[in-house]
Structures are given as C-alpha cells and as structure tokens.
Amino acid sequence: MATSSTTLNYTNVRDIWYTMIGIPGLEDLHIWISIPICSMYIVAIVGNALLLFLIITERSLHEPMYLFLSMLALADIFLSTVTTPKMLAIFWFQAAGISFASCVSQMFFLHFIFVAESAILLAMAFDRYVAICYPLRYTTILTPSVIIKMGIASVTRSFFICFPLIFLVYRLTYCGKSIIYHSYCEHMGIARLACDSIKVNIYYGMIVALFSLCLDVVLIIVSYALIICAVFRIPSRDARRKALGTCGSHVCVILLFYTPAFFSFFAHRFGGHSIPLHVHILLANLYVVVPPSLNPIIYGVRTKHIQERFIQIFSLHKSVC
C-alpha cells in the first residue's frame, strides 16, 4: 500500500496550481469570443451600478419592489465580477494559471452568489404576490425591516449551503491532475481532479440543487399560480392587464436566470456526450454575463418609474453641459 501511495505522488493542496483551458477546442477563437463577453460585462457593471444609483438617490423608488431590485443588481455585479475578469485574462493574455486556494475561493463566491440570487428572485415573487393578492396591506406586510430581514436570510442561507463546499474539496486527495477544462472554477470541476471517491461531493451537489434552486422554483411557481388566480377574479380587463404587466419584468428575469441553469444541469447529467464540451463551457461563460447585462435593461424598459428617473437625470446632465 505504501508503494502504491508513493507511485500516485499525492500533492499538498498548498502547492497545487491549475491551468484553465478556457473553452476547449475553441482556443483559436478566444479573442473573438472575448469581444461580446467583455461588452456584456461592461454593460452589466454600468447598467446595474446605474440601477443601484437611481434606486438609492430617488426617494420615490424606496419601495419593496425596487429595494429587492437593488439586491438583484448588486448580486449581478458580484456574479459577473467573480468570473469574467479571470476569463478575459485567459482569452487575452493566456493567464491560465490559478492556485488551488484562489480556485476554491472563486468556486465558493460563484455558488454563494448564485444561490443568493435565486433567493432574491423568490423574494421578488413574494413581493408581487403580496402586491396583487393583498394590495391594501402591501406596505404593512413588506416593511423596510421585513425586507432587510429577507435580504439577510437570503445571504445567510446561501452561506450555510455553500460553505461546506470548501471542506468537501479540501478533504479530497489530489495527485497531479492540473488542467481545468473551463474558464472558471466550480465545485464539480475541482472535485473531478481528485484521485479518490467524489460520491459525497456529487450527493451534496444534488442536495444543494434540490433544496435551494428547485425549492425556490417550486415556491415561485406557487406564488405565480396564486397571482394568476387572483388576477382572473378581477372583473375589469384593463385592471387584469395592468396587474399582470407589473409581473412581466420579473418573469423575464426568472426565465433568463433559471432556463440556462437547468439546461446545463440536465445536459451534464443526462446529455452524455451528445452535446460537445465546448458548447457546455461556452454557455456557462455566457451565463455569468448575459443575465446580469440584460436584467437592468429589462427593468429599465418595462418599469415606468425607472425610465422617468433615468430621463430626468440624463436631461439634467445635458442641460448642465
């Protein structure tokens, strides 16, 4: 047994450096792929920062819906920033090296923000449910203290769900595999480089998906089922259209967030080799920049108060110039 362990040449995690390939098979196209990714990253940062500024500075936007939207904008900034700069460094400068500790840190923050954003979307669904089903009690139910508690609960839940991932990858034994066929570090990507069994990692990943993302989706569906029932009890057609219109932006953001996530989840587990690896990785890269870049545009286009505040600031700046 001693000879076998010596042959495997186990590596101390402090000494491990990984090489990230980027998008396997598309290395020659990295420069071209980086152009839309960089553009969307800039739009995500500027768009969400502007959205935060509008909500913070405009008192009329200090309502539950917009406070939840500010949480979503902050999560989008973090989600894209955790992954995109390193991704672009790989594409532009071939800076593919990353230490084990840095890789684990990126993994933790990526999953932490992802689970927190899912909880924020659930909170926004609850906000729409209260606004439509209990409009007269809206401000008494969703008080600022309740909203703060919901935000803290989202972050706390995400932390306790994702923190064990650090121990799950540190407990594994590594013996020389050093290439990550991806543009950023995620849980199973690190675990698959280990030399011993990763069944615990696989099971915990399934539990996280089931009791966080899947549970959130089920509760969001229940919320919208109750909303639809309430809306169709409204006698006026215009009132029904207006009530559903307030949910339009949120539904678009939900589809934008969950559809690619579940596609990737099921494709990895049931797609086998029918979907090429570079397609998986390319979609994963786009996933961390497309929703964050489109969310502020969706809310900016579909929300009248945000449009008016943006036009007011733009007009004021233009008159000053």
Side-chain angles (χ1 to χ4, degrees):
M1 293 295 291
T3 304
S4 174
S5 65
T6 303
T7 304
L8 286 173
N9 189 23
Y10 295 136
T11 308
N12 189 316
V13 292
R14 295 178 182 176
D15 302 326
I16 296 175
W17 276 78
Y18 292 130
T19 299
M20 290 195 284
I21 298 298
I23 305 176
L26 298 179
E27 288 87 350
D28 294 339
L29 300 176
H30 276 176
I31 292 294
W32 297 105
I33 294 171
S34 71
I35 295 173
I37 288 178
C38 181
S39 302
M40 285 185 283
Y41 176 61
I42 293 171
V43 170
I45 298 299
V46 173
N48 285 291
L50 179 60
L51 200 57
L52 277 170
F53 175 77
L54 294 176
I55 293 170
I56 291 170
T57 57
E58 179 58 44
R59 290 190 62 84
S60 66
L61 298 180
H62 292 179
E63 298 178 6
M65 171 185 171
Y66 301 109
L67 294 177
F68 286 126
L69 181 55
S70 66
M71 296 180 195
L72 181 68
L74 194 61
D76 280 338
I77 290 173
F78 286 137
L79 180 64
S80 55
T81 301
V82 162
T83 53
T84 311
K86 180 61 179 178
M87 190 191 306
L88 294 175
I90 295 170
F91 293 162
W92 289 343
F93 311 114
Q94 290 76 51
I98 187 170
S99 68
F100 182 83
S102 298
C103 197
V104 172
S105 297
Q106 188 185 55
M107 172 208 77
F108 169 74
F109 285 110
L110 173 66
H111 293 296
F112 168 74
I113 297 165
F114 185 83
V115 175
E117 186 158 340
S118 178
I120 293 168
L121 290 174
L122 173 60
M124 294 174 78
F126 178 70
D127 166 76
R128 292 299 83 205
Y129 164 73
V130 175
I132 291 175
C133 297
Y134 302 98
L136 300 179
R137 297 171 56 195
Y138 180 63
T139 54
T140 58
I141 293 175
L142 289 174
T143 61
S145 62
V146 170
I147 294 169
I148 291 171
K149 289 175 184 176
M150 291 173 73
I152 293 172
S154 301
V155 172
T156 304
R157 184 193 76 154
S158 181
F159 177 82
F160 281 110
I161 286 174
C162 296
F163 192 68
L165 296 175
I166 298 175
F167 296 100
L168 288 176
V169 293
Y170 263 98
R171 75 179 181 86
L172 296 171
T173 305
Y174 301 89
C175 53
K177 299 177 184 176
S178 61
I179 297 179
I180 297 178
Y181 294 94
H182 211 308
S183 306
Y184 53 80
C185 299
E186 44 91 24
H187 173 227
M188 289 310 300
I190 299 175
R192 289 194 181 99
L193 298 175
C195 300
D196 44 10
S197 174
I198 60 171
K199 285 185 179 180
V200 175
N201 299 70
I202 294 172
Y203 293 148
Y204 189 76
M206 295 289 288
I207 290 170
V208 167
L210 183 64
F211 289 101
S212 59
L213 301 184
C214 291
L215 180 61
D216 290 348
V217 169
V218 169
L219 293 175
I220 288 171
I221 291 172
V222 170
S223 297
Y224 272 96
L226 295 172
I227 287 171
I228 290 171
C229 290
V231 166
F232 280 102
R233 286 198 295 267
I234 300 173
S236 169
R237 180 178 297 179
D238 290 337
R240 286 200 301 266
R241 188 182 298 111
K242 184 178 179 180
L244 290 175
T246 63
C247 300
S249 301
H250 185 235
V251 170
C252 291
V253 170
I254 286 172
L255 293 175
L256 203 60
F257 182 81
Y258 286 110
T259 302
F262 281 107
F263 171 80
S264 178
F265 178 82
F266 288 113
H268 271 297
R269 282 156 183 79
F270 307 112
H273 298 287
S274 58
I275 302 176
L277 179 61
H278 66 267
V279 175
H280 282 291
I281 307 304
L282 182 59
L283 289 175
N285 289 356
L286 292 174
Y287 181 69
V288 296
V289 289
V290 172
S293 65
L294 291 181
N295 288 348
I297 296 173
I298 290 171
Y299 274 98
V301 169
R302 296 184 62 91
T303 308
K304 185 179 178 181
H305 293 304
I306 293 176
Q307 282 183 19
E308 291 174 349
R309 179 58 179 157
F310 177 77
I311 293 170
Q312 181 183 354
I313 290 177
F314 182 77
S315 300
L316 181 63
H317 175 73
K318 191 174 180 180
S319 63
V320 169
C321 294

